[in-house]
Amino acid sequence: MYGRLMLPELQVLLAENDITGIQEFCDALYPAVTAEILSELESQNVWRVLACNSPEKQAEIFQFLDLPQQIEIVGVVERGPLSKLIEEMAPDDRVDLLSRMDDERVEELLPLIAQAERSDIRKLLSYPEDSAGAIMTTEYASLPEDLSVAQALEKLRHQAPDSEIISYIYVVDEGRRLQGIVSLRELIFARPTRPLSELINRDVISVRVDDDQEYVAQQMAKFDFVAIPVVDNQNQLVGIVTHDDAIDIMQEEATEDTYRLAAVEPLEDSYLSTSLKTVIQKRIGWLIFLLVPSFLAAKVLQHYEGISDRYEWLVLFIPLILASGGNAGSQSATLIIRAMALETNIDKGDLTALLRKEIQLGVLLGGALALISFTVALAFTTQMIQATVVGLAVFLVVLIGISAGGMLPMGFRRLGMDPALMSNPFITALVDILGLIIYFQVAMAMVS
C-alpha cells in the first residue's frame, strides 16, 4: 500500500538526484515502510537510495527487504560499501544473506570486514543449516554475578547499544558458562546496593547450539519467551534466539508442511519470486511419482473388469467410493501431522492414543457416511442388496482411509522423518487403490 502511494515521490527524488531529499525521505519513515517502497524499485535504484544514508541506516532498511531482493542488490554493490553494510547488519541477518551468496564473493568480502565481525560470521556460518546456531544472534547482554545492582546497570548502559535485546540479562562465570538469568525489570526495581546474585534465576531454560530450529521456536512459544539462550556442549553461552526469529521459523515450518501436504517440495523464496524452472522442478517429481498409484488403480479396474461388466451398476458408485476414502484419509493425515507439529514431546503412548482415536472416528464417521450412501444408492438402484454393497463398502473404505491417514504420518515420525512427507495426494491415491479392491470384493461376496 505504502509503496504505491509514496513511490512516485521517491522516483522524483531519484530523477533529480536529490541526496538530501532521499535522506529525509528515509528518516521520516519507519525502516520497514521504506523497505516496502524500495521493493517496487530495481536493484540499482534501491542501492542508490540506500547509498544516500549512513551504513547504520542502510542496515536498518536492508533487513526488511526480502532475501531474494537482498541477493539481487548485493550483486550490484561494490565490495567496499557492501562490507560496511554487512558489518552493521544483525549477526543472524547477515549470516542468512551470506549463506545464500556465492562462496567466492563471500571470501572476497570477509577480509574487508572488521576482525570481530569476521570471526563472528565464520562461527555462525559453521553451524548446520536450520540449527539454533545458524539462527542465533551474538548481540546479547551478559554480566558476571559478583556485582551490585548499581554496577550491573552501569555495565548494561555500555552493552545496550550493541545488544539486540536487553529484556533478559544472562549471568555467566569467567568461562562464559551460563549461570542464570535476570530480567531488566528486576534490576530496575531492586535496591542499587543489592547483590546481583540474589536476583538471579538459576533454573534457566536453554537450547543447545545444534538443536533443530523448529524445536527452538516451539520452546519459545511454550514458555512465552522474548528470547532464549543458546549454549554449547560445555554450557557456554554462545548466543540467543529472539522472538522475531522464532516467528519467522514457525512461519517457515508451517509453510513447508503446507507445501508437503500438497505434494510440493518446499520453496526457498516466495512463490512470485521463484523462477518457473524451479517451480517445475519442485512439483514434477511428486506428480510423476503419483502416476504410479494411478496406474495401479487402473490395473485394479482391469482385474475386476469381468464383475463390473456383469453388474454395470457398480460403476455408478466408483466415484463415491473413491471420494469417501480419499477425503477421510486426507482429513486424518492433516489433523495428525498438525498435532505432531504442535506437540514436541509425543511419546509412544501418545501415538497409541492418537491411533485409537482415529479408529474410533473411522467407525463413527464410516457408519454415518455408510448410512447416507446406503440411502442414496437405494434411491438410485431401488435394490436393497445393491445399496447394502455400496453402504458396507463406504464404511470399510472410510475406516481404512482414516486409519491410513493416521498411521502413515505416525510411521514416518517413528522413523525420524518429517510426517508431512506423507502428503494428502499420496494418501488419497493409496486409499483409492485399497478402496477399489474393497468395493469389488464386497460386491463379489454379496452379489456373485
Side-chain angles (χ1 to χ4, degrees), residues 14-63:
L14 284 170
E16 296 175 352
N17 199 28
D18 186 350
I19 295 176
T20 302
I22 293 174
Q23 287 178 337
E24 293 174 351
F25 182 90
C26 294
D27 289 337
L29 299 173
Y30 185 68
V33 176
T34 306
E36 181 182 347
I37 297 169
L38 294 182
S39 66
E40 304 287 335
L41 299 175
E42 295 181 354
S43 299
Q44 291 280 2
N45 286 330
V46 173
W47 180 246
R48 284 181 60 195
V49 173
L50 293 177
C52 294
N53 297 276
S54 65
E56 294 83 358
K57 190 67 174 181
Q58 291 174 14
E60 287 181 7
I61 299 171
F62 190 77
Q63 67 175 331

Coordinates of all heavy atoms in Angstrom, one line a residue, residues 14-63:
L14 N 14.9 10.6 -7.0 CA 15.9 9.8 -7.7 C 16.2 10.5 -9.1 O 17.4 10.6 -9.4 CB 15.5 8.4 -7.9 CG 15.6 7.5 -6.7 CD1 14.9 6.1 -7.0 CD2 17.0 7.2 -6.3
A15 N 15.2 10.9 -9.8 CA 15.4 11.6 -11.1 C 16.1 12.9 -10.9 O 17.0 13.2 -11.8 CB 14.0 11.8 -11.7
E16 N 15.9 13.6 -9.8 CA 16.6 14.9 -9.5 C 17.9 14.6 -8.8 O 18.7 15.6 -8.6 CB 15.7 15.8 -8.7 CG 14.4 16.2 -9.5 CD 13.5 17.0 -8.6 OE1 13.8 17.1 -7.3 OE2 12.5 17.5 -9.1
N17 N 18.2 13.4 -8.5 CA 19.4 13.0 -7.7 C 19.5 13.9 -6.4 O 20.6 14.4 -6.1 CB 20.7 13.2 -8.6 CG 21.9 12.5 -8.0 OD1 21.7 11.5 -7.3 ND2 23.1 13.0 -8.3
D18 N 18.4 14.0 -5.8 CA 18.3 14.9 -4.6 C 18.7 14.0 -3.3 O 17.9 13.4 -2.7 CB 16.9 15.4 -4.4 CG 16.8 16.4 -3.3 OD1 17.7 16.5 -2.5 OD2 15.7 17.0 -3.2
I19 N 20.0 14.0 -3.0 CA 20.6 13.2 -2.0 C 20.0 13.6 -0.6 O 19.6 12.7 0.2 CB 22.1 13.2 -1.9 CG1 22.7 12.6 -3.2 CG2 22.6 12.5 -0.7 CD1 24.2 12.8 -3.3
T20 N 19.9 14.9 -0.4 CA 19.4 15.3 0.9 C 17.9 15.0 1.0 O 17.4 14.5 2.1 CB 19.5 16.9 1.0 OG1 20.9 17.2 0.9 CG2 19.0 17.4 2.4
G21 N 17.2 15.1 -0.1 CA 15.7 14.8 -0.1 C 15.5 13.3 0.2 O 14.6 12.9 0.9
I22 N 16.4 12.4 -0.4 CA 16.3 11.0 -0.2 C 16.6 10.6 1.3 O 15.9 9.8 1.9 CB 17.2 10.2 -1.1 CG1 16.8 10.4 -2.6 CG2 17.3 8.8 -0.8 CD1 17.7 9.8 -3.6
Q23 N 17.6 11.3 1.8 CA 17.9 11.1 3.3 C 16.7 11.4 4.1 O 16.3 10.6 5.0 CB 19.1 11.9 3.7 CG 20.4 11.4 3.2 CD 21.6 12.3 3.6 OE1 21.4 13.5 3.9 NE2 22.8 11.7 3.6
E24 N 16.1 12.6 3.9 CA 15.0 13.0 4.7 C 13.8 12.0 4.5 O 13.0 11.8 5.4 CB 14.6 14.4 4.3 CG 15.6 15.5 4.7 CD 15.3 16.8 4.2 OE1 14.3 17.0 3.4 OE2 16.0 17.8 4.6
F25 N 13.6 11.6 3.3 CA 12.6 10.6 2.9 C 12.7 9.3 3.8 O 11.8 8.9 4.4 CB 12.6 10.3 1.5 CG 11.5 9.3 1.0 CD1 10.3 9.8 0.5 CD2 11.7 7.9 1.0 CE1 9.3 8.9 0.1 CE2 10.8 7.1 0.6 CZ 9.6 7.6 0.1
C26 N 13.9 8.8 3.9 CA 14.2 7.6 4.6 C 14.1 7.8 6.1 O 13.6 7.0 6.9 CB 15.6 7.0 4.3 SG 15.8 6.5 2.6
D27 N 14.5 9.0 6.6 CA 14.5 9.3 8.0 C 13.0 9.5 8.5 O 12.7 9.2 9.7 CB 15.3 10.6 8.3 CG 16.8 10.4 8.2 OD1 17.2 9.2 8.3 OD2 17.5 11.4 8.0
A28 N 12.2 9.9 7.6 CA 10.8 10.2 8.0 C 9.9 9.0 8.2 O 8.9 9.1 8.8 CB 10.2 11.2 7.0
L29 N 10.4 7.9 7.6 CA 9.6 6.7 7.6 C 10.2 5.6 8.5 O 11.4 5.5 8.6 CB 9.4 6.2 6.2 CG 8.7 7.1 5.2 CD1 8.8 6.5 3.8 CD2 7.3 7.4 5.6
Y30 N 9.4 4.7 9.0 CA 9.9 3.5 9.7 C 10.6 2.7 8.6 O 10.2 2.5 7.5 CB 8.7 2.8 10.3 CG 9.1 1.6 11.1 CD1 9.8 1.8 12.3 CD2 8.8 0.3 10.7 CE1 10.2 0.7 13.1 CE2 9.2 -0.8 11.5 CZ 9.9 -0.6 12.7 OH 10.3 -1.7 13.4
P31 N 11.8 2.1 9.0 CA 12.6 1.3 8.1 C 11.8 0.2 7.3 O 12.0 0.0 6.1 CB 13.6 0.6 8.9 CG 13.8 1.6 10.1 CD 12.4 2.2 10.3
A32 N 10.8 -0.4 8.0 CA 10.0 -1.5 7.3 C 9.2 -0.8 6.2 O 9.0 -1.4 5.1 CB 9.2 -2.2 8.3
V33 N 8.7 0.4 6.4 CA 7.9 1.1 5.4 C 8.8 1.5 4.2 O 8.4 1.3 3.1 CB 7.2 2.3 6.0 CG1 6.4 3.1 4.9 CG2 6.2 1.9 7.1
T34 N 9.9 2.0 4.5 CA 10.9 2.4 3.5 C 11.2 1.1 2.6 O 11.3 1.2 1.4 CB 12.2 2.9 4.1 OG1 11.9 4.0 4.9 CG2 13.1 3.4 3.0
A35 N 11.4 0.0 3.3 CA 11.8 -1.2 2.5 C 10.6 -1.7 1.6 O 10.8 -2.1 0.5 CB 12.1 -2.4 3.5
E36 N 9.4 -1.5 2.1 CA 8.2 -1.8 1.3 C 8.2 -1.0 0.0 O 7.8 -1.5 -1.0 CB 6.9 -1.6 2.1 CG 5.7 -2.0 1.4 CD 4.4 -1.7 2.2 OE1 4.5 -1.5 3.4 OE2 3.3 -1.7 1.6
I37 N 8.5 0.3 0.2 CA 8.6 1.2 -1.0 C 9.7 0.8 -1.9 O 9.5 0.7 -3.2 CB 8.7 2.7 -0.6 CG1 7.5 3.1 0.3 CG2 8.9 3.6 -1.8 CD1 7.7 4.4 1.0
L38 N 10.8 0.5 -1.4 CA 12.0 0.1 -2.2 C 11.8 -1.2 -2.9 O 12.4 -1.4 -4.0 CB 13.3 0.0 -1.3 CG 13.8 1.3 -0.7 CD1 15.0 1.1 0.1 CD2 14.0 2.4 -1.7
S39 N 10.9 -2.0 -2.4 CA 10.7 -3.3 -3.1 C 10.1 -3.2 -4.4 O 10.1 -4.1 -5.3 CB 9.8 -4.2 -2.2 OG 8.5 -3.7 -2.1
E40 N 9.6 -2.0 -4.7 CA 9.0 -1.7 -6.0 C 10.0 -1.2 -7.1 O 9.7 -1.1 -8.2 CB 7.9 -0.6 -5.9 CG 6.8 -0.9 -4.9 CD 5.8 -2.0 -5.4 OE1 5.7 -2.1 -6.6 OE2 5.2 -2.6 -4.6
L41 N 11.2 -1.0 -6.6 CA 12.3 -0.4 -7.5 C 13.2 -1.5 -8.0 O 13.3 -2.6 -7.4 CB 13.1 0.6 -6.8 CG 12.4 1.9 -6.3 CD1 13.3 2.8 -5.5 CD2 11.8 2.6 -7.4
E42 N 14.0 -1.3 -9.0 CA 15.0 -2.2 -9.5 C 16.2 -2.1 -8.5 O 16.4 -1.1 -7.8 CB 15.4 -1.8 -10.9 CG 14.3 -2.0 -11.9 CD 14.8 -1.6 -13.3 OE1 16.0 -1.2 -13.5 OE2 14.1 -1.9 -14.3
S43 N 17.0 -3.1 -8.5 CA 18.1 -3.2 -7.6 C 19.1 -2.0 -7.6 O 19.5 -1.5 -6.6 CB 18.9 -4.5 -7.8 OG 18.1 -5.6 -7.7
Q44 N 19.4 -1.5 -8.8 CA 20.3 -0.4 -9.0 C 19.7 0.8 -8.2 O 20.4 1.5 -7.5 CB 20.5 -0.1 -10.5 CG 21.3 -1.1 -11.2 CD 22.8 -0.9 -11.0 OE1 23.2 -0.1 -10.2 NE2 23.6 -1.8 -11.7
N45 N 18.4 1.1 -8.4 CA 17.8 2.3 -7.8 C 17.7 2.1 -6.3 O 17.7 3.0 -5.5 CB 16.5 2.6 -8.4 CG 16.6 3.2 -9.8 OD1 17.6 3.9 -10.1 ND2 15.6 2.9 -10.7
V46 N 17.4 0.8 -5.8 CA 17.4 0.5 -4.4 C 18.7 0.9 -3.8 O 18.7 1.6 -2.7 CB 17.0 -0.9 -4.1 CG1 17.2 -1.2 -2.6 CG2 15.7 -1.3 -4.6
W47 N 19.8 0.6 -4.4 CA 21.1 0.9 -3.8 C 21.4 2.4 -3.9 O 22.0 2.9 -3.0 CB 22.2 0.1 -4.5 CG 23.5 0.4 -3.9 CD1 24.6 1.1 -4.5 CD2 23.9 0.2 -2.5 NE1 25.6 1.3 -3.6 CE2 25.2 0.7 -2.4 CE3 23.3 -0.4 -1.4 CZ2 25.9 0.7 -1.2 CZ3 24.0 -0.5 -0.2 CH2 25.3 0.1 -0.1
R48 N 20.9 3.0 -4.9 CA 21.1 4.5 -5.0 C 20.4 5.2 -3.8 O 20.9 6.1 -3.2 CB 20.4 5.0 -6.3 CG 21.3 4.8 -7.5 CD 20.6 5.4 -8.7 NE 20.4 6.8 -8.6 CZ 19.6 7.6 -9.3 NH1 18.8 7.0 -10.3 NH2 19.5 8.9 -9.1
V49 N 19.2 4.6 -3.4 CA 18.6 5.2 -2.2 C 19.3 4.9 -0.9 O 19.6 5.7 -0.1 CB 17.1 4.6 -2.1 CG1 16.5 5.1 -0.8 CG2 16.3 5.1 -3.3
L50 N 19.7 3.6 -0.8 CA 20.5 3.2 0.4 C 21.8 3.9 0.5 O 22.2 4.3 1.7 CB 20.7 1.7 0.4 CG 19.4 0.8 0.5 CD1 19.8 -0.7 0.4 CD2 18.7 1.1 1.8
A51 N 22.5 4.2 -0.6 CA 23.8 4.8 -0.6 C 23.7 6.2 -0.1 O 24.8 6.8 0.3 CB 24.4 4.7 -2.0
C52 N 22.6 6.8 -0.1 CA 22.4 8.2 0.4 C 22.4 8.3 1.9 O 22.4 9.4 2.5 CB 21.2 8.8 -0.1 SG 21.2 9.1 -1.9
N53 N 22.4 7.1 2.6 CA 22.2 7.0 4.0 C 23.5 6.5 4.7 O 24.4 5.9 4.0 CB 21.0 6.2 4.4 CG 19.7 6.7 4.0 OD1 19.1 7.6 4.6 ND2 19.3 6.3 2.8
S54 N 23.6 6.6 6.0 CA 24.7 6.0 6.7 C 24.6 4.5 6.7 O 23.5 3.9 6.5 CB 24.7 6.5 8.1 OG 23.6 6.0 8.8
P55 N 25.8 3.8 6.9 CA 25.7 2.3 6.9 C 24.7 1.8 8.0 O 24.0 0.8 7.7 CB 27.1 1.9 7.3 CG 28.0 3.0 6.7 CD 27.2 4.3 6.9
E56 N 24.6 2.5 9.1 CA 23.6 2.1 10.1 C 22.2 2.1 9.6 O 21.4 1.2 9.8 CB 23.8 3.0 11.4 CG 25.1 2.8 12.1 CD 26.2 3.7 11.5 OE1 25.9 4.4 10.5 OE2 27.3 3.7 12.1
K57 N 21.9 3.2 8.9 CA 20.5 3.4 8.4 C 20.3 2.4 7.2 O 19.2 1.8 7.1 CB 20.3 4.8 7.9 CG 18.9 5.2 7.5 CD 18.0 5.2 8.7 CE 16.6 5.6 8.3 NZ 15.7 5.7 9.5
Q58 N 21.3 2.2 6.4 CA 21.2 1.2 5.4 C 20.8 -0.2 5.9 O 19.9 -0.9 5.4 CB 22.6 1.1 4.6 CG 23.0 2.3 3.8 CD 24.3 2.1 3.2 OE1 24.9 1.1 3.2 NE2 24.9 3.3 2.8
A59 N 21.5 -0.6 7.0 CA 21.3 -1.9 7.6 C 19.8 -2.0 8.1 O 19.2 -3.0 8.0 CB 22.3 -2.2 8.7
E60 N 19.4 -0.9 8.8 CA 18.0 -0.9 9.3 C 17.0 -1.1 8.2 O 16.0 -1.9 8.5 CB 17.8 0.5 10.0 CG 18.5 0.7 11.3 CD 18.2 2.0 11.9 OE1 17.3 2.7 11.4 OE2 18.8 2.4 12.9
I61 N 17.2 -0.5 7.1 CA 16.2 -0.7 6.0 C 16.4 -2.0 5.3 O 15.4 -2.7 5.0 CB 16.3 0.5 5.0 CG1 16.1 1.8 5.7 CG2 15.4 0.3 3.8 CD1 16.4 3.0 4.8
F62 N 17.6 -2.4 5.1 CA 18.0 -3.5 4.3 C 17.4 -4.8 4.9 O 17.0 -5.7 4.2 CB 19.5 -3.6 4.1 CG 20.0 -4.6 3.2 CD1 20.0 -4.4 1.8 CD2 20.5 -5.8 3.6 CE1 20.4 -5.3 0.9 CE2 21.0 -6.8 2.7 CZ 21.0 -6.5 1.3
Q63 N 17.4 -4.9 6.2 CA 17.0 -6.1 6.9 C 15.5 -6.4 6.6 O 15.1 -7.6 6.8 CB 17.2 -6.0 8.4 CG 16.3 -5.0 9.1 CD 16.5 -4.9 10.6 OE1 16.8 -5.9 11.2 NE2 16.3 -3.8 11.2

